[in-house]
Amino acid sequence: MPVTTHPTPARPQNLLDPGFELTLRPMRYPRFYERYRDAIKNTWTVEEVDLQADVPDLARLTPGERHLIGRLVAFFATGDSIVANNLVLTLYKHINSPEARLYLSRQLFEEAVHVQFYLTLLDTYLPDPDDRAAAFAAVENIPSIRDKAEFCFRWIDSVQELDRLRTKADRRRFLLNLICFAACIEGLFFYGAFAYVYWFRSRGLLHGLATGTNWVFRDETMHMSFAFDVVDTVRAEEPDLFDEELGRQVTAMLREAVEAELQFARDLCGDGLPGMNTDSMRQYLECVADQRLARLGFAPVYGSENPFSFMELQGVQELTNFFERRVSAYQVAVEGAVALDEDF
Ligand SMILES: [Fe+2]
Ligand SMILES: [Fe+2]
């Protein structure tokens, strides 16, 4: 009787080689598995955040502050859905490692929690159905939000016809998409948004929003760190992808992201509010953009200092709050060092 055999496909050589690798042992990228396990320790739910506590504060805001928070929540209405879409359409497809796909599955869940958090935020902050509908439509109607969304969509579209990363050029296109979402969207647009939240908190306002933002901030920092781990891995495996042209493209992309976020800042801040204006937001964004470039191994371009003292210890403070809450609420033991973004 003839014996039929099914040839085992060769394991991929590199992380971006096309395919659907399934083999977890021997594990090629234990770092990604560790990131998955770390992320599981950070589980939180929207129901733990008391947004109702913010309602009396909202009634006390000045017209300028009310305009700012209205625009900010309108950005939040769609930001994480865009990231989740790219995760499924691009990252999960092309990062060919089952342990990395475990992390991405977890990240997708976290993005869903973020979407739910911002849905609840808008439902609480905007009781009028017309105001709520307008906020969710901001991605089409408010130019400063629409332009940021279009920046994101352009980088999603740039890889959509790529079925497999066959050539070096394909891989560079993928890397630009990955770097865009980590450094420009999660690492700059969202960091800009978080600064407004912590500016309110520094003035004793909107603590419910700040509490949820602490956990979102921590998640986003880890999403970015994972993406940068992927970049490091690809750089080690295929160093020739990281040429001067890629450096120029990443720098230009970050400059464009800073300008888009600044247009948003002009819309939010108008002529300026106490402790928050377009000039200080420009400095902050330039400082953050330089840190992203440096982390990616490219030369910083702005040389700006962070002007927002309320952001400086954010990572540490948020981490402390998180573990205090975890330990007291659930007695979950957390061991070992947790990598925060080096920058905050
Ligand atoms: Fe998110
Ligand atoms: Fe994210």
Side-chain angles (χ1 to χ4, degrees):
M1 181 186 282
V3 176
T4 54
T5 57
H6 299 278
T8 308
R11 294 192 73 180
Q13 293 287 307
N14 293 318
L15 187 59
L16 298 187
D17 285 349
F20 198 72
E21 170 69 3
L22 298 170
T23 305
L24 278 160
R25 293 290 184 209
M27 189 177 283
R28 297 189 61 176
Y29 302 104
R31 175 84 176 137
F32 300 150
Y33 184 58
E34 287 307 311
R35 287 219 173 268
Y36 165 74
R37 295 183 66 208
D38 284 344
I40 297 285
K41 294 173 190 162
N42 296 341
T43 303
W44 60 281
T45 65
V46 175
E47 286 72 20
E48 294 174 88
V49 183
D50 181 12
L51 287 167
Q52 283 297 333
D54 292 352
V55 172
D57 285 349
L58 291 169
R60 290 166 42 212
L61 299 183
T62 66
E65 291 166 343
R66 199 167 300 133
H67 169 79
L68 192 156
I69 197 71
R71 285 289 199 262
L72 186 61
V73 301
F75 167 71
F76 284 140
T78 45
D80 290 78
S81 296
I82 295 174
V83 170
N85 284 353
N86 190 64
L87 195 163
V88 173
L89 295 173
T90 308
L91 307 188
Y92 197 95
K93 186 168 157 187
H94 294 303
I95 300 175
N96 190 16
S97 135
E99 51 275 34
R101 286 182 171 119
L102 273 179
Y103 181 83
L104 290 168
S105 305
R106 167 66 194 195
Q107 182 183 339
L108 187 61
F109 165 72
E110 289 172 359
E111 301 300 0
V113 173
H114 301 174
V115 170
Q116 184 199 355
F117 174 60
Y118 293 124
L119 172 65
T120 310
L121 179 74
L122 268 74
D123 285 354
T124 308
Y125 279 27
L126 304 172
D128 181 87
D130 290 338
D131 291 347
R132 218 179 268 177
F136 277 99
V139 71
E140 287 149 25
N141 300 332
I142 297 177
S144 66
I145 295 176
R146 186 187 61 215
D147 288 358
K148 286 205 288 183
E150 282 176 358
F151 173 85
C152 304
F153 293 141
R154 184 150 48 81
W155 286 101
I156 291 180
D157 289 347
S158 73
V159 290
Q160 273 321 286
E161 79 277 20
L162 277 181
D163 190 35
R164 292 165 160 253
L165 304 182
R166 290 190 178 86
T167 66
K168 295 285 181 194
D170 293 346
R171 290 174 192 206
R172 284 199 188 89
R173 277 166 73 186
F174 171 78
L175 280 173
L176 285 170
N177 172 286
L178 174 72
I179 290 170
C180 179
F181 274 78
C184 298
I185 299 170
E186 294 178 313
L188 190 92
F189 290 171
F190 288 2
Y191 271 63
F194 299 152
Y196 297 109
V197 173
Y198 292 126
W199 169 71
F200 277 113
R201 186 183 62 181
S202 74
R203 299 167 61 242
L205 295 166
L206 307 180
H207 281 274
L209 173 57
T211 300
T213 300
N214 285 340
W215 298 330
V216 175
F217 188 116
R218 181 187 169 83
D219 292 344
E220 297 304 346
T221 302
M222 293 187 73
H223 300 168
M224 191 168 53
S225 296
F226 169 81
F228 291 157
D229 280 354
V230 171
V231 172
D232 290 345
T233 304
V234 175
R235 190 197 298 267
E237 291 179 346
E238 303 182 73
D240 55 326
L241 292 175
F242 291 78
D243 55 11
E244 278 184 27
E245 176 62 11
L246 189 79
R248 271 194 295 275
Q249 288 172 309
V250 169
T251 304
M253 175 202 286
L254 263 159
R255 282 187 185 279
E256 192 181 348
V258 167
E259 290 309 314
E261 189 60 32
L262 263 175
Q263 190 196 347
F264 186 60
R266 278 190 282 274
D267 183 2
L268 266 64
C269 300
D271 295 330
L273 297 151
M276 176 57 71
N277 57 60
T278 308
D279 281 344
S280 40
M281 188 50 88
R282 173 187 288 278
Q283 271 185 59
Y284 168 72
L285 295 169
E286 290 178 350
C287 170
V288 172
D290 272 353
Q291 286 167 351
R292 303 297 172 248
L293 286 168
R295 172 62 185 82
L296 288 161
F298 302 119
V301 290
Y302 294 109
S304 295
E305 301 280 320
N306 176 19
F308 293 145
S309 54
F310 52 79
M311 292 302 288
E312 264 170 9
L313 288 175
Q314 186 50 42
V316 175
Q317 183 175 1
E318 180 275 325
L319 184 68
T320 308
N321 292 347
F322 184 85
F323 285 137
E324 280 172 359
R325 164 184 159 278
R326 281 288 123 181
V327 171
S328 61
Y330 298 107
Q331 301 295 313
V332 171
V334 179
E335 296 168 0
V338 176
L340 270 182
D341 179 32
E342 301 85 329
D343 309 324
F344 289 106

